[in-house]
Amino acid sequence: MTTMEGGTMTDTGYTLVIGDKNYSSWSLRPWLSLKASGIPFREERIRLRQPESKAEIFKRSPSGKVPALKTDLGVIYNSLAIVEYLAEQYPDAMLWPADPAARAAARCASAEMHSGFQALRTDMPMDLVSSFAMPELSETLANNIGRVIEVWKETRTRFGQNGPFLFGAFGNADAMYAPVATRFRTYNVPLSEFGDDGTAAAYVDAIYAMPAMAEWLAGADAEMRERGLI
């Protein structure tokens, strides 16, 4: 189980099962919450898009999907469920804001990310080492991009005064939206054309400035180099 000794997190025995760092946006989310909070864990990677991938994932995750967090309580196999679990186990990490209004807004934003934005996911899949032109812009995709920017502007304006992230300090809501920040860079999205006043661009920069994000990006680059894809 999770323990604290002298204010320091002890080894939890957690293992986070993830997919390719270049492609697996869902894996990035709880990985960032763990890393940014200093929660110790082991990482187990499964290469995606291979004939054996699904079978290998099913050995570790009952949903057949990554990520999955192995804990003493069993396997938690949904990104949002994992970050909720971490927030409960590590309240001092402040993965949800302390203020009730901010906490409610953070959960709303995270749930919206978890369940929505299908066009953005489909038309602009995460690919960290690449750079592409914007895909053909459907009305739905344009609305998805505009809504993300709106969420970022609203949360930064209301709750982001004490830091560069959506609610000031880094938290679960940022983990949920970090893969979108990478998509905006990968696909060279002209954010100002979708209503950005500079807030969204600054937020993307803040995500990329995180040491944990730099570590994940380096891992993605190494994976692709090992496979001769860059």
Side-chain angles (χ1 to χ4, degrees), residues 136-214:
E136 183 177 348
L137 195 65
S138 67
E139 181 180 356
T140 305
L141 178 57
N143 288 341
N144 278 188
I145 295 170
R147 176 56 185 159
V148 168
I149 292 171
E150 183 180 10
V151 169
W152 291 358
K153 287 166 65 177
E154 287 176 352
T155 53
R156 289 285 301 139
T157 298
R158 290 183 64 196
F159 305 110
Q161 292 80 14
N162 295 320
F165 299 106
L166 295 180
F167 295 84
F170 177 87
N172 281 337
D174 302 294
M176 295 301 293
Y177 280 90
V180 180
T182 73
R183 286 171 162 95
F184 285 170
R185 280 208 176 173
T186 294
Y187 295 91
N188 295 283
V189 177
L191 298 176
S192 61
E193 296 181 14
F194 295 90
D196 182 33
D197 59 2
T199 301
Y203 180 65
V204 171
D205 289 343
I207 291 294
Y208 272 85
M210 295 176 62
M213 192 68 205

Side-chain angles (χ1 to χ4, degrees), residues 10 23 32 48 61 78 87 97 103 132 143 181 194 216:
T10 60
Y23 303 122
L32 275 181
L48 305 178
S61 171
N78 174 283
R103 187 164 62 250
F132 302 112
N143 288 341
F194 295 90
W216 180 277

Side-chain angles (χ1 to χ4, degrees), residues 93-109:
M94 299 301 297
L95 288 168
W96 296 123
D99 174 71
R103 187 164 62 250
R107 282 195 161 108
C108 283

